[in-house]
Amino acid sequence: MKERNSYQHSRKLLCDLLRGFYDKGWVAGTGGGICTVVKKNEVLMAPTGVHKECVLPQDLFVVDDQTSRVLRSPQNPSLRLTECNTIFCLLIREKDAGAVMHSHALSAVLAGDLGSRADCVVFESLEMLKGLRDCSNFDKHSVPVIENTAYEPELVSQIEKAIRQPDFDSSYCILVRDHGAYIWGSDLWETKRHAEVYHFLFEATTARSKRQLA
Amino acid sequence: MKERNSYQHSRKLLCDLLRGFYDKGWVAGTGGGICTVVKKNEVLMAPTGVHKECVLPQDLFVVDDQTSRVLRSPQNPSLRLTECNTIFCLLIREKDAGAVMHSHALSAVLAGDLGSRADCVVFESLEMLKGLRDCSNFDKHSVPVIENTAYEPELVSQIEKAIRQPDFDSSYCILVRDHGAYIWGSDLWETKRHAEVYHFLFEATTARSKRQLA
Amino acid sequence: MKERNSYQHSRKLLCDLLRGFYDKGWVAGTGGGICTVVKKNEVLMAPTGVHKECVLPQDLFVVDDQTSRVLRSPQNPSLRLTECNTIFCLLIREKDAGAVMHSHALSAVLAGDLGSRADCVVFESLEMLKGLRDCSNFDKHSVPVIENTAYEPELVSQIEKAIRQPDFDSSYCILVRDHGAYIWGSDLWETKRHAEVYHFLFEATTARSKRQLA
Amino acid sequence: MKERNSYQHSRKLLCDLLRGFYDKGWVAGTGGGICTVVKKNEVLMAPTGVHKECVLPQDLFVVDDQTSRVLRSPQNPSLRLTECNTIFCLLIREKDAGAVMHSHALSAVLAGDLGSRADCVVFESLEMLKGLRDCSNFDKHSVPVIENTAYEPELVSQIEKAIRQPDFDSSYCILVRDHGAYIWGSDLWETKRHAEVYHFLFEATTARSKRQLA
């Protein structure tokens, strides 16, 4: 297995960011996940069903994003590929994502609740919007909210539909009701930035919504 | 005292997890606790009345879960066996738990409040439910809420009654009103996962409940 | 300056706990403080006006609790004795405290608000009460709330009055409205335990109070 | 580049504090910033558009606060000067600030909301006010709230107007609606103290406001 240095760097960075996400409460209870493109048609993916803060560089799968097939498995035979695999590959192919993170944050669930009578949540009047690529702080930024399903692969058709809607062209996030969010960027670092921005938007909008209800 | 390597590993892991629980605010003020089965009829238990983030591998008691009697005490004579002893042993015997944690988290107390007119709380419409063994995200997951008592051993009869109710067959948690929760799994790692999932359920359900009240 | 090993130990422990309090948000903005008795009539006190997470063992004052006079100052001449000095000495003399911490936590301020039409707050129906020395979880535990003053030494007369009231005999805490709390114990470790318990009581009681208001 | 030791010290301290701000959630998503005067007309500034917890001592710009022009750029050519540059220099010149931090904290946004029908927020009845230079805990402390703009340099004219108002003479903070806050002090340490105090004031006042609404 001759991998270049950049591979090793990506493997380590992916694990470091995942640990950071755990510390923020976004991937508790073995939930959530992350992947990054390392070269054409090769995607590193964290395994499923493991404590995300404990994932090591050698625990990652290499997947072909065109076929969603595993190219290389980690040596540890107990590790299983994430159920997010097909969703991750879809976002890489269709949205040109260089990395995707999947959040199980409570703030994502509560933000999804805000769209209870619609299929989207609109974030506005927040400087933090500028932290999203090509987004202005005066934009009304729409994020789709899709319905949860019993199995993650069943989310694919809703995601395909959502990302084709022009309203969501400039969104780097899909909220899944009762579940969490998929957030992506051009690489791991932009994905981290987008993740921090979106979780801020979730919290801010939920806090303002509560004030209006009170 | 010839203990195998796996013993040492379990002692260290138990202390590491306990420190993690402290960092999350689940075992503050010397409250809460943890135990794990290490071999047939031998259970490692953290002592009571000590700052839980300071517990060391050599501070643990070894207890026989069939009799709840101490097999081996730590060398430090000031350490006392946890009052949860009989409850821990009961859950090991009756629910086949391989490890049990006892949480004093505020979120557990507030979740217990939700069941104020009933003897259970139902968690539903949350993906995080999948983090519980054999639980689906579309399940209505019932957790018993029992009344607090002056002394922890007095909780035993209520717990015996609760775990015999078919409604709670697939629950790995008992909420104790005004007090906290007992959460278990097949081993320390599953218990950690279940603990993270249940505390998420406590927080999410409390947050949603507040929204309805507002 | 021939100090015994136990002195050095107390100096280090005091600083370690103070750093832990900072991490919990109890002594932000250079606020709050801590002291501990090291031997008869000798009390170690952290300085005022400094970032509390940066206090070093050599930065502490040694004070005579009978006279509130400084016995030994730290070598660094820019360090000043805490304004809490007379309050700390009072609690050591009158309540037999072996250590006292002063919290500027938001939860202490919000708990003080709960007593807005009375001079005390009552904590009840919480297992965590057991974390207070000689307190049962079925007790109604009263903590005095005194009014804030322009200068900390001016709190002394109110504190003297409060600790003489039989209602507060078994309290290890005085809430100062709009300000924070003084919390003590027989030594640094009990004071830490009491601090964690009281802050839990503050948060729990505030959360339950909000629910009733909603 | 012959810089004195104090320069190196300031560079390191600035980065350490910035990492601390990140841990508190004040500069997430690459937002926020910090600068400090190192000698007459020389100001160290963190770059924009980077993850603030990753900024290194060699990544800082040196700017002339009289002209807002860059005196020395970091070697890494990808780093860009912060858009806050002209605001930072204005506060250094007009308010004699020795350091300024720019917060993107949610609590700053929610505090800005409190002034929704006015151009200021008043903080009062909080001991923590004493943590501000020359401020008493019985003062009513007014902080200006200005409107957000599309680009940060466009905030300058509003800030100029606000700091000329006598009402805000003793304020070390400007809230920017939907955006965050600028907070300053005589040096990095006072700025840190003021930042911790103001964020406490934001949280406390927001919490008390919610209680009144409920």
Side-chain angles (χ1 to χ4, degrees):
Chain A
M1 190 165 70
K2 287 187 188 176
E3 286 189 346
R4 295 159 312 166
N5 277 340
S6 70
Y7 254 64
Q8 292 307 323
H9 174 76
S10 295
R11 284 177 178 269
K12 183 178 180 305
L13 178 57
L14 184 151
C15 295
D16 287 349
L17 295 186
L18 202 48
R19 211 175 310 115
F21 295 166
Y22 178 81
D23 289 339
K24 293 185 166 78
W26 298 347
V27 294
T30 77
I34 190 169
C35 73
T36 186
V37 176
V38 271
K39 68 174 192 181
K40 194 165 159 51
N41 301 342
E42 295 206 4
V43 185
L44 287 175
M45 286 190 196
T48 191
V50 298
H51 294 268
K52 291 300 189 287
E53 76 280 17
C54 302
V55 172
L56 298 171
Q58 61 267 31
D59 295 341
L60 310 183
F61 286 81
V62 182
V63 172
D64 181 337
D65 61 88
Q66 299 298 311
T67 61
S68 299
R69 287 210 195 130
V70 173
L71 298 172
R72 289 194 289 286
S73 294
Q75 291 206 330
N76 180 342
S78 72
L79 296 172
R80 286 172 296 124
L81 182 62
T82 172
E83 285 209 324
C84 300
N85 176 21
T86 50
I87 296 170
F88 283 165
C89 290
L90 174 68
L91 293 169
I92 289 167
R93 287 195 317 268
E94 299 293 321
K95 298 296 294 185
D96 206 25
V100 188
M101 69 84 67
H102 175 41
S103 171
H104 274 200
L106 178 53
S107 64
V109 169
L110 297 178
D113 289 352
L114 296 177
S116 60
R117 290 170 209 85
D119 61 355
C120 76
V121 175
V122 179
F123 300 105
E124 60 184 318
S125 301
L126 285 166
E127 176 73 7
M128 200 59 102
L129 285 162
K130 275 186 178 172
L132 302 176
R133 194 202 317 159
D134 297 328
C135 188
S136 143
N137 53 357
F138 286 93
D139 286 350
K140 287 179 189 295
H141 182 78
S142 290
V143 166
V145 184
I146 65 175
E147 298 301 317
N148 204 18
T149 55
Y151 300 99
E152 261 157 338
E154 295 172 2
L155 293 169
V156 167
S157 62
Q158 288 186 78
I159 294 179
E160 281 178 328
K161 199 176 148 198
I163 60 184
R164 277 178 200 143
Q165 282 185 257
D167 285 359
F168 306 131
D169 261 359
S170 56
S171 176
Y172 308 97
C173 175
I174 291 164
L175 281 163
V176 185
R177 203 186 306 286
D178 304 328
H179 183 151
Y182 289 91
I183 297 169
W184 62 91
S186 60
D187 60 16
L188 279 175
W189 285 110
E190 189 177 81
T191 298
K192 170 183 181 285
R193 191 184 80 225
H194 283 175
E196 290 181 7
V197 168
Y198 276 115
H199 286 84
F200 183 96
L201 300 177
F202 301 158
E203 287 169 34
T205 305
T206 298
R208 285 176 160 178
S209 148
K210 270 193 262 182
R211 194 173 282 173
Q212 288 180 324
L213 286 172
Chain B
M1 190 165 71
K2 287 187 189 175
E3 286 189 347
R4 295 160 311 166
N5 278 340
S6 71
Y7 254 63
Q8 293 307 323
H9 175 76
S10 295
R11 285 178 177 268
K12 185 177 179 305
L13 178 58
L14 184 150
C15 295
D16 288 348
L17 295 187
L18 202 49
R19 211 175 310 116
F21 294 166
Y22 178 81
D23 290 340
K24 292 186 167 78
W26 298 346
V27 294
T30 76
I34 190 169
C35 73
T36 186
V37 176
V38 271
K39 69 174 191 182
K40 192 163 159 53
N41 301 343
E42 296 207 3
V43 184
L44 287 175
M45 284 190 196
T48 191
V50 298
H51 295 267
K52 292 299 188 287
E53 75 281 16
C54 302
V55 172
L56 298 171
Q58 61 265 33
D59 295 341
L60 309 183
F61 286 80
V62 182
V63 172
D64 181 338
D65 61 88
Q66 298 298 311
T67 60
S68 299
R69 288 212 194 128
V70 174
L71 297 173
R72 289 192 289 285
S73 294
Q75 291 207 331
N76 181 342
S78 72
L79 295 172
R80 285 173 297 125
L81 182 61
T82 173
E83 286 208 323
C84 300
N85 176 20
T86 50
I87 295 169
F88 284 165
C89 290
L90 174 66
L91 293 169
I92 290 166
R93 289 194 315 268
E94 299 293 320
K95 297 296 293 185
D96 205 25
V100 188
M101 67 86 66
H102 175 41
S103 171
H104 273 200
L106 178 52
S107 64
V109 170
L110 297 179
D113 289 352
L114 296 177
S116 58
R117 289 170 209 85
D119 61 353
C120 77
V121 175
V122 179
F123 300 105
E124 60 184 318
S125 302
L126 285 165
E127 176 73 7
M128 200 61 101
L129 285 162
K130 275 186 181 172
L132 303 175
R133 193 201 319 158
D134 296 328
C135 189
S136 142
N137 53 356
F138 286 94
D139 285 352
K140 289 179 189 295
H141 182 78
S142 290
V143 166
V145 185
I146 65 175
E147 298 301 317
N148 204 17
T149 55
Y151 301 99
E152 259 156 340
E154 295 172 3
L155 293 169
V156 167
S157 63
Q158 288 186 78
I159 293 178
E160 280 178 330
K161 197 176 150 199
I163 60 183
R164 277 179 202 144
Q165 283 185 255
D167 285 358
F168 306 132
D169 261 358
S170 56
S171 176
Y172 309 96
C173 176
I174 291 164
L175 280 163
V176 186
R177 205 186 304 286
D178 304 328
H179 183 149
Y182 289 90
I183 297 169
W184 62 90
S186 59
D187 59 16
L188 280 174
W189 285 111
E190 189 177 81
T191 298
K192 172 182 180 285
R193 191 184 81 224
H194 283 175
E196 291 182 6
V197 168
Y198 275 115
H199 285 83
F200 182 97
L201 300 177
F202 301 158
E203 288 170 32
T205 306
T206 298
R208 284 176 160 177
S209 148
K210 271 194 261 181
R211 194 173 280 172
Q212 288 180 325
L213 286 172
Chain C
M1 191 164 70
K2 288 187 190 175
E3 287 190 345
R4 296 160 309 168
N5 277 342
S6 71
Y7 254 64
Q8 292 308 322
H9 175 76
S10 295
R11 286 178 177 267
K12 185 178 180 302
L13 178 58
L14 184 150
C15 296
D16 287 348
L17 295 187
L18 202 48
R19 210 174 312 116
F21 294 167
Y22 178 81
D23 290 340
K24 292 185 167 78
W26 297 348
V27 295
T30 76
I34 190 168
C35 74
T36 185
V37 176
V38 271
K39 67 173 191 182
K40 193 165 158 51
N41 301 344
E42 297 206 5
V43 185
L44 287 175
M45 285 191 197
T48 190
V50 298
H51 294 269
K52 291 299 188 289
E53 76 280 17
C54 302
V55 172
L56 299 171
Q58 62 265 33
D59 295 342
L60 309 183
F61 287 81
V62 182
V63 173
D64 181 338
D65 61 88
Q66 297 299 310
T67 61
S68 298
R69 287 208 196 131
V70 173
L71 298 173
R72 288 192 292 282
S73 295
Q75 291 206 332
N76 180 343
S78 72
L79 295 172
R80 288 173 295 124
L81 182 62
T82 172
E83 286 208 323
C84 301
N85 176 21
T86 49
I87 295 170
F88 283 164
C89 289
L90 174 67
L91 293 169
I92 290 166
R93 288 194 315 270
E94 298 294 320
K95 296 297 293 184
D96 205 25
V100 188
M101 69 85 66
H102 175 40
S103 171
H104 274 200
L106 178 53
S107 64
V109 170
L110 297 179
D113 289 352
L114 296 177
S116 59
R117 289 171 210 85
D119 61 353
C120 77
V121 175
V122 179
F123 300 105
E124 59 184 319
S125 302
L126 284 165
E127 176 74 8
M128 200 60 103
L129 285 161
K130 275 186 179 172
L132 303 175
R133 194 201 319 158
D134 297 328
C135 189
S136 141
N137 54 355
F138 285 93
D139 285 351
K140 286 178 191 295
H141 182 77
S142 289
V143 166
V145 185
I146 65 175
E147 298 301 317
N148 204 18
T149 56
Y151 301 99
E152 259 155 340
E154 295 172 3
L155 293 170
V156 166
S157 63
Q158 288 186 78
I159 293 179
E160 280 178 330
K161 199 176 148 197
I163 60 182
R164 277 178 202 143
Q165 282 186 256
D167 284 358
F168 305 131
D169 261 0
S170 56
S171 176
Y172 309 96
C173 176
I174 292 164
L175 281 162
V176 186
R177 205 186 304 286
D178 304 329
H179 183 148
Y182 289 90
I183 297 168
W184 62 90
S186 60
D187 59 15
L188 280 174
W189 285 112
E190 188 178 80
T191 298
K192 172 184 181 282
R193 190 185 81 224
H194 282 176
E196 291 181 4
V197 168
Y198 276 116
H199 286 82
F200 183 97
L201 300 177
F202 301 158
E203 288 168 33
T205 306
T206 298
R208 285 177 160 177
S209 148
K210 269 193 264 183
R211 194 174 282 172
Q212 288 179 325
L213 287 172
Chain D
M1 191 164 71
K2 288 187 188 175
E3 288 190 344
R4 295 160 310 168
N5 278 341
S6 70
Y7 254 63
Q8 292 308 323
H9 175 76
S10 295
R11 285 178 178 268
K12 184 178 179 305
L13 178 57
L14 184 150
C15 296
D16 287 348
L17 295 187
L18 201 48
R19 211 173 312 114
F21 295 166
Y22 178 81
D23 290 339
K24 292 184 165 78
W26 298 348
V27 295
T30 78
I34 190 169
C35 74
T36 185
V37 176
V38 271
K39 69 174 191 182
K40 194 166 158 51
N41 301 344
E42 296 207 5
V43 184
L44 287 175
M45 285 191 196
T48 190
V50 298
H51 294 268
K52 291 300 189 287
E53 76 281 17
C54 301
V55 172
L56 298 172
Q58 60 266 32
D59 295 340
L60 309 182
F61 286 81
V62 182
V63 172
D64 181 338
D65 62 88
Q66 298 298 310
T67 61
S68 298
R69 287 209 196 130
V70 173
L71 297 172
R72 288 192 291 286
S73 294
Q75 290 207 331
N76 179 343
S78 72
L79 295 172
R80 286 173 297 123
L81 182 62
T82 171
E83 285 209 322
C84 300
N85 176 22
T86 50
I87 295 170
F88 283 164
C89 289
L90 175 67
L91 293 169
I92 289 167
R93 288 195 315 271
E94 299 293 320
K95 298 296 293 184
D96 207 25
V100 188
M101 69 84 67
H102 176 41
S103 171
H104 273 200
L106 178 53
S107 64
V109 169
L110 297 179
D113 289 352
L114 296 177
S116 60
R117 289 170 209 85
D119 60 355
C120 77
V121 175
V122 179
F123 299 105
E124 61 185 318
S125 301
L126 285 166
E127 176 75 6
M128 201 59 103
L129 286 162
K130 275 186 178 172
L132 302 175
R133 194 201 317 158
D134 297 328
C135 189
S136 142
N137 54 356
F138 286 93
D139 286 350
K140 288 180 189 295
H141 181 78
S142 290
V143 166
V145 185
I146 65 175
E147 298 301 316
N148 204 17
T149 55
Y151 300 99
E152 261 157 339
E154 295 172 2
L155 293 170
V156 167
S157 62
Q158 289 186 78
I159 293 179
E160 281 178 328
K161 199 177 148 198
I163 60 183
R164 277 179 201 142
Q165 282 185 256
D167 285 359
F168 305 131
D169 261 0
S170 56
S171 175
Y172 308 97
C173 175
I174 291 165
L175 281 163
V176 185
R177 203 185 306 285
D178 303 330
H179 183 149
Y182 289 91
I183 297 169
W184 61 91
S186 60
D187 60 14
L188 279 175
W189 284 111
E190 189 178 81
T191 298
K192 172 183 181 282
R193 190 185 80 225
H194 283 176
E196 291 181 6
V197 169
Y198 276 115
H199 285 83
F200 182 97
L201 299 177
F202 302 157
E203 287 169 34
T205 305
T206 298
R208 284 176 160 180
S209 149
K210 268 192 266 183
R211 195 174 281 173
Q212 288 180 324
L213 286 172

